[in-house]
Amino acid sequence: RTRILVSIGESFGSSEKFHKINQMVSSSERTLKRGLDMSSAPKPLKRL
Amino acid sequence: AQECQNLEVERQRKLERIKQKQSQLQELILQQIAFKNLVQRNRQQEQQTSRPPPSNSVIHLPFIIVNTSKKTVIDCSISNDKFEYLFNFDNTFEIHDDIEVLKRMGMACGLESGKCSPEDLKIARSLIPKALEPYLTEMAHGSINNVYVP
Amino acid sequence: RYQALVKEVSDLGETEQRLDELITKCNLQLKLLTEDPQNKKLAYVMCQDLRNTVDPPDQLLMVVKAPPGTQMQVSDPSEGMQISLKSPHGPIDVFLCPED
């Protein structure tokens, strides 16, 4: 769906693109961890 | 009023382009300083040891690094002619270029974060042409905001 | 207001032009610097330098040496953690940085 393309050897801009890539990759890890946390949280008991 | 509005739009566009170009100039200055600092360091080290380091212990610029946890499993496919590579990771990774590595090594004298000591600033000044010195002074405390007439 | 804007836009245009000139000069300086044979010989980092830039330092570290113009593509994590490299001319080399 989303791909980031970097042309190696560009004198300007590649650092920012790598930074963007790293943010994209690390945000997926956070989403995955959050999903795992939510699924493992115990459900609250209902009040009678 | 319409012409004023058009000029406002043009003014905004120019301001954005100027900001982007100041950032570009800043990056070029950083790269120059980092590169020269690296070359100087290696020259001094080679003079001290009287020989260059073994060729299999160094990586010449330019390069890119990919780092990931040592527990990561990487599936790598390479074409016969080594023109194409495909890496599949089962964990997150980071990619950085050589300039980022030099900055992290301190070769940019702290200018990349605006935290440059007076000693570092002196070293950085010796590595760039005189015409760029006003920019260096600004970068030492933040980023370039002004454009100086040479 | 119109007159002030005209002047301001004109000044900004000059500023942009000066920046363009400086960027062109800096690009040329950097090119001469990096292409100088003596500088090229001395423009290297040690494996220990690379190790010191990652946290934690015992991570798996790959170094990619690719010809200019090589296309690196990183897919969206939802499609899998994937990096592809395609060189238009010349082989790509990938090295593993030793832990010690």
Side-chain angles (χ1 to χ4, degrees):
Chain A
R1 210 172 48 229
T2 311
R3 288 167 202 267
I4 295 180
L5 192 62
V6 182
S7 182
I8 294 176
E10 278 175 2
S11 59
F12 180 71
S14 54
S15 286
E16 278 181 32
K17 283 186 184 168
F18 289 136
H19 184 64
K20 222 170 148 182
I21 288 170
N22 295 334
Q23 275 184 334
M24 177 177 81
V25 169
S26 68
S27 70
S28 73
E29 187 188 28
R30 278 196 293 273
T31 313
L32 186 66
K33 276 187 181 161
R34 212 181 307 136
L36 287 170
D37 285 343
M38 281 170 63
S39 62
S40 60
K43 286 181 186 166
L45 292 170
K46 282 184 185 175
R47 287 192 126 193
L48 289 173
Chain B
Q2 184 60 52
E3 284 176 10
C4 276
Q5 200 173 7
N6 293 343
L7 280 171
E8 284 280 4
V9 169
E10 201 183 333
R11 175 182 165 276
Q12 203 49 44
R13 281 201 194 125
K14 280 192 192 293
L15 281 169
E16 275 164 23
R17 281 205 304 268
I18 285 170
K19 194 175 171 187
Q20 194 263 339
K21 286 175 183 182
Q22 280 172 336
S23 180
Q24 197 176 344
L25 178 64
Q26 189 166 311
E27 183 60 26
L28 284 168
I29 294 172
L30 280 175
Q31 287 185 21
Q32 212 181 116
I33 291 169
F35 188 88
K36 281 185 180 175
N37 232 344
L38 179 73
V39 165
Q40 224 171 55
R41 179 204 79 163
N42 291 338
R43 187 179 286 124
Q44 278 167 6
Q45 271 182 359
E46 285 190 17
Q47 278 169 357
Q48 275 170 10
T49 57
S50 312
R51 57 191 172 96
S55 58
N56 60 355
S57 68
V58 301
I59 288 284
H60 280 85
L61 269 57
F63 59 80
I64 283 164
I65 63 167
V66 181
N67 57 294
T68 183
S69 161
K70 57 184 181 182
K71 293 178 190 166
T72 303
V73 175
I74 306 173
D75 180 36
C76 177
S77 308
I78 311 172
S79 65
N80 285 341
D81 56 7
K82 291 172 76 177
F83 277 42
E84 289 185 38
Y85 278 68
L86 181 64
F87 296 100
N88 270 299
F89 296 76
D90 72 345
N91 201 351
T92 57
F93 54 84
E94 283 183 1
I95 308 177
H96 301 286
D97 62 6
D98 45 9
I99 295 299
E100 178 64 25
V101 169
L102 294 189
K103 286 176 189 172
R104 289 180 179 198
M105 284 167 64
M107 292 289 145
C109 303
L111 289 161
E112 71 280 6
S113 52
K115 293 171 188 167
C116 186
S117 67
E119 299 78 31
D120 283 336
L121 186 57
K122 204 175 160 186
I123 294 170
R125 266 210 189 97
S126 68
L127 297 170
I128 54 160
K130 227 169 167 51
L132 295 174
E133 278 185 25
Y135 303 101
L136 201 62
T137 313
E138 280 215 350
M139 281 164 68
H141 302 106
S143 60
I144 296 175
N145 291 316
N146 295 311
V147 179
Y148 298 94
V149 179
Chain C
R1 184 169 156 233
Y2 171 78
Q3 283 174 344
L5 277 169
V6 165
K7 181 160 187 334
E8 195 180 350
V9 166
S10 164
D11 289 345
L12 287 173
E14 280 179 20
T15 301
E16 194 180 352
Q17 202 177 349
R18 280 203 295 274
L19 271 169
D20 285 337
E21 285 166 13
L22 276 170
I23 287 169
T24 306
K25 273 189 192 163
C26 278
N27 264 320
L28 182 61
Q29 276 168 1
L30 198 60
K31 190 170 185 282
L32 292 171
L33 197 61
T34 53
E35 288 180 2
D36 173 69
Q38 198 54 31
N39 286 342
K40 261 181 154 173
K41 245 171 73 176
L42 289 166
Y44 58 78
V45 298
M46 317 283 287
C47 288
Q48 196 51 49
D49 293 327
L50 295 175
R51 281 273 151 229
N52 292 342
T53 59
V54 295
D55 182 36
D58 64 344
Q59 283 189 52
L60 196 142
L61 197 57
M62 290 195 293
V63 180
V64 177
K65 287 277 292 176
T70 298
Q71 300 291 306
M72 174 187 257
Q73 200 165 265
V74 180
S75 55
D76 189 87
S78 60
E79 292 177 19
M81 309 275 193
Q82 218 178 58
I83 299 176
S84 77
L85 293 162
K86 219 178 247 186
S87 163
H89 47 77
I92 300 168
D93 281 318
V94 178
F95 306 97
L96 271 179
C97 192
E99 259 184 67
D100 53 0

PDB file of all heavy atoms in Angstrom, chain B residues 61-79:
ATOM      1  N   LEU B  61      33.199   5.450   2.748  1.00  0.00           N
ATOM      2  CA  LEU B  61      31.972   6.155   2.378  1.00  0.00           C
ATOM      3  C   LEU B  61      31.794   6.067   0.874  1.00  0.00           C
ATOM      4  O   LEU B  61      32.801   5.945   0.142  1.00  0.00           O
ATOM      5  CB  LEU B  61      32.091   7.642   2.776  1.00  0.00           C
ATOM      6  CG  LEU B  61      31.609   8.068   4.164  1.00  0.00           C
ATOM      7  CD1 LEU B  61      32.293   7.321   5.276  1.00  0.00           C
ATOM      8  CD2 LEU B  61      31.757   9.560   4.320  1.00  0.00           C
ATOM      9  N   PRO B  62      30.622   6.113   0.327  1.00  0.00           N
ATOM     10  CA  PRO B  62      29.323   6.171   1.004  1.00  0.00           C
ATOM     11  C   PRO B  62      28.781   4.786   1.335  1.00  0.00           C
ATOM     12  O   PRO B  62      29.192   3.802   0.723  1.00  0.00           O
ATOM     13  CB  PRO B  62      28.429   6.852  -0.038  1.00  0.00           C
ATOM     14  CG  PRO B  62      28.982   6.394  -1.345  1.00  0.00           C
ATOM     15  CD  PRO B  62      30.460   6.198  -1.143  1.00  0.00           C
ATOM     16  N   PHE B  63      27.920   4.719   2.302  1.00  0.00           N
ATOM     17  CA  PHE B  63      27.282   3.460   2.660  1.00  0.00           C
ATOM     18  C   PHE B  63      25.972   3.750   3.399  1.00  0.00           C
ATOM     19  O   PHE B  63      25.684   4.887   3.761  1.00  0.00           O
ATOM     20  CB  PHE B  63      28.198   2.604   3.555  1.00  0.00           C
ATOM     21  CG  PHE B  63      28.591   3.281   4.851  1.00  0.00           C
ATOM     22  CD1 PHE B  63      27.730   3.300   5.931  1.00  0.00           C
ATOM     23  CD2 PHE B  63      29.824   3.914   4.965  1.00  0.00           C
ATOM     24  CE1 PHE B  63      28.089   3.945   7.117  1.00  0.00           C
ATOM     25  CE2 PHE B  63      30.188   4.550   6.139  1.00  0.00           C
ATOM     26  CZ  PHE B  63      29.315   4.574   7.221  1.00  0.00           C
ATOM     27  N   ILE B  64      25.246   2.681   3.627  1.00  0.00           N
ATOM     28  CA  ILE B  64      24.012   2.768   4.408  1.00  0.00           C
ATOM     29  C   ILE B  64      24.071   1.654   5.441  1.00  0.00           C
ATOM     30  O   ILE B  64      24.616   0.586   5.151  1.00  0.00           O
ATOM     31  CB  ILE B  64      22.790   2.560   3.489  1.00  0.00           C
ATOM     32  CG1 ILE B  64      22.531   3.823   2.687  1.00  0.00           C
ATOM     33  CG2 ILE B  64      21.525   2.237   4.261  1.00  0.00           C
ATOM     34  CD1 ILE B  64      21.632   3.605   1.530  1.00  0.00           C
ATOM     35  N   ILE B  65      23.542   1.902   6.626  1.00  0.00           N
ATOM     36  CA  ILE B  65      23.500   0.815   7.604  1.00  0.00           C
ATOM     37  C   ILE B  65      22.050   0.456   7.916  1.00  0.00           C
ATOM     38  O   ILE B  65      21.158   1.308   7.895  1.00  0.00           O
ATOM     39  CB  ILE B  65      24.269   1.139   8.908  1.00  0.00           C
ATOM     40  CG1 ILE B  65      23.644   2.341   9.647  1.00  0.00           C
ATOM     41  CG2 ILE B  65      25.735   1.380   8.630  1.00  0.00           C
ATOM     42  CD1 ILE B  65      24.170   2.488  11.072  1.00  0.00           C
ATOM     43  N   VAL B  66      21.864  -0.829   8.152  1.00  0.00           N
ATOM     44  CA  VAL B  66      20.558  -1.330   8.580  1.00  0.00           C
ATOM     45  C   VAL B  66      20.806  -2.058   9.896  1.00  0.00           C
ATOM     46  O   VAL B  66      21.626  -2.980   9.942  1.00  0.00           O
ATOM     47  CB  VAL B  66      19.960  -2.314   7.547  1.00  0.00           C
ATOM     48  CG1 VAL B  66      18.587  -2.797   8.013  1.00  0.00           C
ATOM     49  CG2 VAL B  66      19.861  -1.677   6.176  1.00  0.00           C
ATOM     50  N   ASN B  67      20.158  -1.632  10.954  1.00  0.00           N
ATOM     51  CA  ASN B  67      20.349  -2.320  12.221  1.00  0.00           C
ATOM     52  C   ASN B  67      19.017  -2.818  12.761  1.00  0.00           C
ATOM     53  O   ASN B  67      17.966  -2.216  12.555  1.00  0.00           O
ATOM     54  CB  ASN B  67      21.070  -1.439  13.261  1.00  0.00           C
ATOM     55  CG  ASN B  67      20.357  -0.130  13.524  1.00  0.00           C
ATOM     56  OD1 ASN B  67      20.265   0.721  12.639  1.00  0.00           O
ATOM     57  ND2 ASN B  67      19.847   0.057  14.728  1.00  0.00           N
ATOM     58  N   THR B  68      19.101  -3.970  13.410  1.00  0.00           N
ATOM     59  CA  THR B  68      17.917  -4.608  13.969  1.00  0.00           C
ATOM     60  C   THR B  68      18.356  -5.443  15.167  1.00  0.00           C
ATOM     61  O   THR B  68      19.554  -5.688  15.358  1.00  0.00           O
ATOM     62  CB  THR B  68      17.219  -5.470  12.902  1.00  0.00           C
ATOM     63  OG1 THR B  68      16.028  -6.034  13.445  1.00  0.00           O
ATOM     64  CG2 THR B  68      18.114  -6.590  12.414  1.00  0.00           C
ATOM     65  N   SER B  69      17.383  -5.919  15.925  1.00  0.00           N
ATOM     66  CA  SER B  69      17.710  -6.742  17.087  1.00  0.00           C
ATOM     67  C   SER B  69      18.456  -7.994  16.638  1.00  0.00           C
ATOM     68  O   SER B  69      18.200  -8.517  15.534  1.00  0.00           O
ATOM     69  CB  SER B  69      16.417  -7.131  17.805  1.00  0.00           C
ATOM     70  OG  SER B  69      16.630  -8.238  18.632  1.00  0.00           O
ATOM     71  N   LYS B  70      19.345  -8.494  17.475  1.00  0.00           N
ATOM     72  CA  LYS B  70      20.096  -9.693  17.069  1.00  0.00           C
ATOM     73  C   LYS B  70      19.193 -10.939  17.053  1.00  0.00           C
ATOM     74  O   LYS B  70      19.589 -11.983  16.565  1.00  0.00           O
ATOM     75  CB  LYS B  70      21.323  -9.915  17.946  1.00  0.00           C
ATOM     76  CG  LYS B  70      21.058 -10.047  19.411  1.00  0.00           C
ATOM     77  CD  LYS B  70      22.386 -10.176  20.154  1.00  0.00           C
ATOM     78  CE  LYS B  70      22.141 -10.337  21.633  1.00  0.00           C
ATOM     79  NZ  LYS B  70      23.379 -10.417  22.395  1.00  0.00           N
ATOM     80  N   LYS B  71      17.975 -10.799  17.604  1.00  0.00           N
ATOM     81  CA  LYS B  71      17.042 -11.942  17.558  1.00  0.00           C
ATOM     82  C   LYS B  71      16.233 -11.952  16.252  1.00  0.00           C
ATOM     83  O   LYS B  71      15.481 -12.882  16.000  1.00  0.00           O
ATOM     84  CB  LYS B  71      16.073 -11.858  18.735  1.00  0.00           C
ATOM     85  CG  LYS B  71      16.723 -12.056  20.078  1.00  0.00           C
ATOM     86  CD  LYS B  71      15.718 -11.915  21.205  1.00  0.00           C
ATOM     87  CE  LYS B  71      16.445 -11.881  22.538  1.00  0.00           C
ATOM     88  NZ  LYS B  71      15.599 -11.420  23.637  1.00  0.00           N
ATOM     89  N   THR B  72      16.381 -10.911  15.463  1.00  0.00           N
ATOM     90  CA  THR B  72      15.593 -10.816  14.228  1.00  0.00           C
ATOM     91  C   THR B  72      16.035 -11.886  13.238  1.00  0.00           C
ATOM     92  O   THR B  72      17.237 -12.136  13.078  1.00  0.00           O
ATOM     93  CB  THR B  72      15.774  -9.438  13.576  1.00  0.00           C
ATOM     94  OG1 THR B  72      15.401  -8.446  14.513  1.00  0.00           O
ATOM     95  CG2 THR B  72      14.932  -9.294  12.326  1.00  0.00           C
ATOM     96  N   VAL B  73      15.063 -12.477  12.581  1.00  0.00           N
ATOM     97  CA  VAL B  73      15.365 -13.432  11.518  1.00  0.00           C
ATOM     98  C   VAL B  73      15.220 -12.690  10.202  1.00  0.00           C
ATOM     99  O   VAL B  73      14.189 -12.071   9.929  1.00  0.00           O
ATOM    100  CB  VAL B  73      14.398 -14.634  11.570  1.00  0.00           C
ATOM    101  CG1 VAL B  73      14.624 -15.564  10.390  1.00  0.00           C
ATOM    102  CG2 VAL B  73      14.573 -15.399  12.879  1.00  0.00           C
ATOM    103  N   ILE B  74      16.273 -12.741   9.407  1.00  0.00           N
ATOM    104  CA  ILE B  74      16.243 -12.016   8.133  1.00  0.00           C
ATOM    105  C   ILE B  74      16.325 -13.024   6.996  1.00  0.00           C
ATOM    106  O   ILE B  74      17.247 -13.838   6.931  1.00  0.00           O
ATOM    107  CB  ILE B  74      17.430 -11.032   8.014  1.00  0.00           C
ATOM    108  CG1 ILE B  74      17.469 -10.091   9.217  1.00  0.00           C
ATOM    109  CG2 ILE B  74      17.310 -10.220   6.729  1.00  0.00           C
ATOM    110  CD1 ILE B  74      18.709  -9.216   9.257  1.00  0.00           C
ATOM    111  N   ASP B  75      15.344 -12.944   6.112  1.00  0.00           N
ATOM    112  CA  ASP B  75      15.329 -13.803   4.936  1.00  0.00           C
ATOM    113  C   ASP B  75      15.859 -12.964   3.782  1.00  0.00           C
ATOM    114  O   ASP B  75      15.302 -11.924   3.446  1.00  0.00           O
ATOM    115  CB  ASP B  75      13.876 -14.245   4.686  1.00  0.00           C
ATOM    116  CG  ASP B  75      13.782 -15.137   3.475  1.00  0.00           C
ATOM    117  OD1 ASP B  75      14.715 -15.931   3.249  1.00  0.00           O
ATOM    118  OD2 ASP B  75      12.772 -15.043   2.762  1.00  0.00           O
ATOM    119  N   CYS B  76      16.955 -13.401   3.194  1.00  0.00           N
ATOM    120  CA  CYS B  76      17.609 -12.577   2.166  1.00  0.00           C
ATOM    121  C   CYS B  76      17.639 -13.299   0.819  1.00  0.00           C
ATOM    122  O   CYS B  76      18.057 -14.453   0.742  1.00  0.00           O
ATOM    123  CB  CYS B  76      19.028 -12.254   2.627  1.00  0.00           C
ATOM    124  SG  CYS B  76      19.956 -11.322   1.418  1.00  0.00           S
ATOM    125  N   SER B  77      17.168 -12.597  -0.210  1.00  0.00           N
ATOM    126  CA  SER B  77      17.260 -13.144  -1.581  1.00  0.00           C
ATOM    127  C   SER B  77      18.155 -12.228  -2.396  1.00  0.00           C
ATOM    128  O   SER B  77      18.012 -11.007  -2.344  1.00  0.00           O
ATOM    129  CB  SER B  77      15.885 -13.162  -2.251  1.00  0.00           C
ATOM    130  OG  SER B  77      14.950 -13.802  -1.437  1.00  0.00           O
ATOM    131  N   ILE B  78      19.084 -12.849  -3.117  1.00  0.00           N
ATOM    132  CA  ILE B  78      20.035 -12.050  -3.908  1.00  0.00           C
ATOM    133  C   ILE B  78      20.026 -12.572  -5.341  1.00  0.00           C
ATOM    134  O   ILE B  78      20.054 -13.793  -5.565  1.00  0.00           O
ATOM    135  CB  ILE B  78      21.474 -12.187  -3.340  1.00  0.00           C
ATOM    136  CG1 ILE B  78      21.489 -11.963  -1.826  1.00  0.00           C
ATOM    137  CG2 ILE B  78      22.414 -11.205  -4.024  1.00  0.00           C
ATOM    138  CD1 ILE B  78      22.817 -12.264  -1.167  1.00  0.00           C
ATOM    139  N   SER B  79      20.017 -11.657  -6.293  1.00  0.00           N
ATOM    140  CA  SER B  79      20.072 -12.081  -7.707  1.00  0.00           C
ATOM    141  C   SER B  79      21.494 -12.542  -8.006  1.00  0.00           C
ATOM    142  O   SER B  79      22.443 -12.184  -7.292  1.00  0.00           O
ATOM    143  CB  SER B  79      19.666 -10.926  -8.625  1.00  0.00           C
ATOM    144  OG  SER B  79      20.608  -9.881  -8.531  1.00  0.00           O
TER     145      SER B  79
END
